[in-house]
Amino acid sequence: MKNNILIVEDNLMNFEIAQELLINAGYNVLYAANASEGIKIAKQKNPDLILMDLSLPEMDGLTATKIIKQDPLTKNIPVVAFT
């Protein structure tokens, strides 16, 4: 089974580049365009890894990461800054 990686990135070009690299490496890629959507997808899909942009509109990636790490459903998902 492929590992799922969630990319939270508001810049579509950055997402598309990362997506292509990850798919070519054999990963399944999930996408969120903002932090709130990323938190929601993390809870629903329980990805193996989250690549989190730190400069997001409305809610920054650091705040989103804190929320993810405080939630029992998502606290064990590794989050890597993607900026």
Side-chain angles (χ1 to χ4, degrees):
M1 179 161 55
K2 292 183 179 182
N3 288 341
N4 293 315
I5 297 178
L6 170 60
I7 301 175
V8 184
E9 171 61 67
D10 63 325
N11 183 310
L12 190 56
M13 186 185 322
N14 289 347
F15 165 72
E16 289 173 347
I17 291 168
Q19 178 187 34
E20 184 176 339
L21 291 169
L22 291 168
I23 288 173
N24 288 339
Y27 296 98
N28 184 43
V29 177
L30 306 168
Y31 174 62
N34 60 59
S36 297
E37 187 180 350
I39 293 166
K40 181 180 175 182
I41 293 171
K43 289 180 181 181
Q44 291 174 344
K45 302 290 185 175
N46 195 28
D48 299 293
L49 174 69
I50 300 172
L51 299 178
M52 178 75 70
D53 184 9
L54 297 180
S55 301
L56 294 167
E58 300 173 26
M59 179 191 313
D60 64 75
L62 185 58
T63 301
T65 299
K66 289 177 183 177
I67 292 169
I68 288 168
K69 290 301 184 179
Q70 291 172 351
D71 189 314
L73 295 174
T74 56
K75 69 179 183 180
N76 293 322
I77 301 171
V79 180
V80 175
F82 182 70
T83 187

